[in-house]
Amino acid sequence: MRVLGRGALLVTIALVACKGDRRDDERDAPKKPQAQAAPKATAQSAPEVDSATPTKAGAEPAGPRYLRPNSKGVLVDAFDFPSVPASIVEQEVAAASSRSDAVAVLRRFGLAAPGGSNGHVWIGKASLVDRLGRERVLVASFRGEPGSDGLRDDDGWIAFLGSTSNEERVLKIGAVRVKAKTVDAAPVDVDARELHSKDADDVVATWSSCVRPMQKACHTLRAWTMQRGYPEPIVDVTADNKPTITGAAPPHEIVVDDRVLKWDGQAFAYR
């Protein structure tokens, strides 16, 4: 997997997690910002939020910048959750050189190590909430040995990391696990880019399981947005031909074989 984002701080290595042993100075969550109220989600299937305050893209939001579900499944201010110094995460990713190093990175954020013999990690800055570039995308990929068909098991995590106002600390807002079969020279590709909106980047993952010409249903595209403060899937398609993103400006369209998917603001997803 690889991450490319706006102002990308791109580092290659292995994985991380927000649990496990930490020094006392790593345990304190940042002070809660003043006048915080969670923005109310509008999608039909969006989780419940504890209050409603609109967020203005491209500027400091009026409500919480990030949301996470509590034990009851209600979205609450994510700053109530633990954070870790950003410099420690970046150093650990940069220094990772083994599978165990990768596993340690995942554990810092409470993520279990996937299967696979080889581990790699990338971390990069992105603008997932607005255009301020305050978020980070952490990608950890474990790959197995190629099988007789030439495919490898590709198993990894995409972690969405928010930052404190001074960007000295990061916290996990959410994570998605991606399990795929990929050809040897083409692992899962992860990119932070404009897709459905010009006001924020989406995280787009693509891969192919094609091992022979004319193979059917072997190209996959998935994407997530964090524009409302928490990760939400907005498209997940598999096609005979490689899906393509078209259009001069967002919301872009996605061509999937003989279909064209367009952004549906009411459903907050591609349809």
Side-chain angles (χ1 to χ4, degrees), residues 22-106:
R22 301 201 299 270
R23 299 190 306 270
D24 288 342
D25 63 345
E26 295 179 39
R27 297 180 184 276
D28 297 332
K31 293 182 179 179
K32 189 174 180 179
Q34 297 294 317
Q36 294 178 335
K40 192 170 187 66
T42 57
Q44 295 174 357
S45 59
E48 180 184 352
V49 192
D50 61 355
S51 61
T53 299
T55 301
K56 183 179 180 181
E60 287 295 335
R65 186 178 187 85
Y66 310 119
L67 299 170
R68 274 181 62 177
N70 62 11
S71 59
K72 297 181 180 179
V74 177
L75 290 171
V76 298
D77 186 352
F79 282 111
D80 290 334
F81 293 80
S83 65
V84 63
S87 59
I88 289 180
V89 176
E90 291 161 0
Q91 290 168 10
E92 288 179 344
V93 171
S97 60
S98 67
R99 189 181 190 284
S100 60
D101 292 338
V103 171
V105 175
L106 284 182

Side-chain angles (χ1 to χ4, degrees), residues 85-258:
S87 59
I88 289 180
V89 176
E90 291 161 0
Q91 290 168 10
E92 288 179 344
V93 171
S97 60
S98 67
R99 189 181 190 284
S100 60
D101 292 338
V103 171
V105 175
L106 284 182
R107 284 180 179 162
R108 182 174 289 285
F109 293 102
L111 300 173
S117 56
N118 300 306
H120 301 278
V121 168
W122 290 256
I123 187 170
K125 279 195 173 183
S127 294
L128 303 181
V129 175
D130 45 38
R131 293 259 66 100
L132 299 181
R134 291 258 300 278
E135 291 69 55
R136 289 167 177 80
V137 180
L138 175 70
V139 179
S141 174
F142 286 101
R143 304 193 76 202
E145 296 300 320
S148 59
D149 58 359
L151 294 176
R152 292 178 183 260
D153 288 323
D154 204 329
D155 193 355
W157 288 97
I158 301 173
F160 303 82
L161 306 182
S163 69
T164 56
S165 57
N166 54 13
E167 294 193 65
E168 291 182 356
R169 302 179 73 90
V170 293
L171 60 157
K172 187 188 77 176
I173 308 303
V176 293
R177 187 170 179 176
V178 175
K179 301 180 69 173
K181 293 276 189 181
T182 62
V183 293
D184 188 39
V188 176
D189 184 87
V190 181
D191 193 12
R193 55 168 294 176
E194 289 182 356
L195 182 61
H196 86 280
S197 172
K198 64 179 177 58
D199 295 323
D201 292 331
D202 296 323
V203 174
V204 181
T206 57
W207 66 88
S208 171
S209 300
C210 300
V211 293
R212 61 182 185 275
M214 307 303 292
Q215 186 173 345
K216 300 295 185 181
C218 55
H219 296 280
T220 302
L221 182 151
R222 292 181 187 170
W224 300 264
T225 182
M226 217 178 85
Q227 192 176 24
R228 297 197 289 195
Y230 58 97
E232 300 176 83
I234 55 174
V235 65
D236 183 354
V237 293
T238 300
D240 298 341
N241 301 296
K242 183 178 180 180
T244 56
I245 297 171
T246 64
H252 295 289
E253 296 178 348
I254 303 173
V255 180
V256 183
D257 294 334
D258 57 352

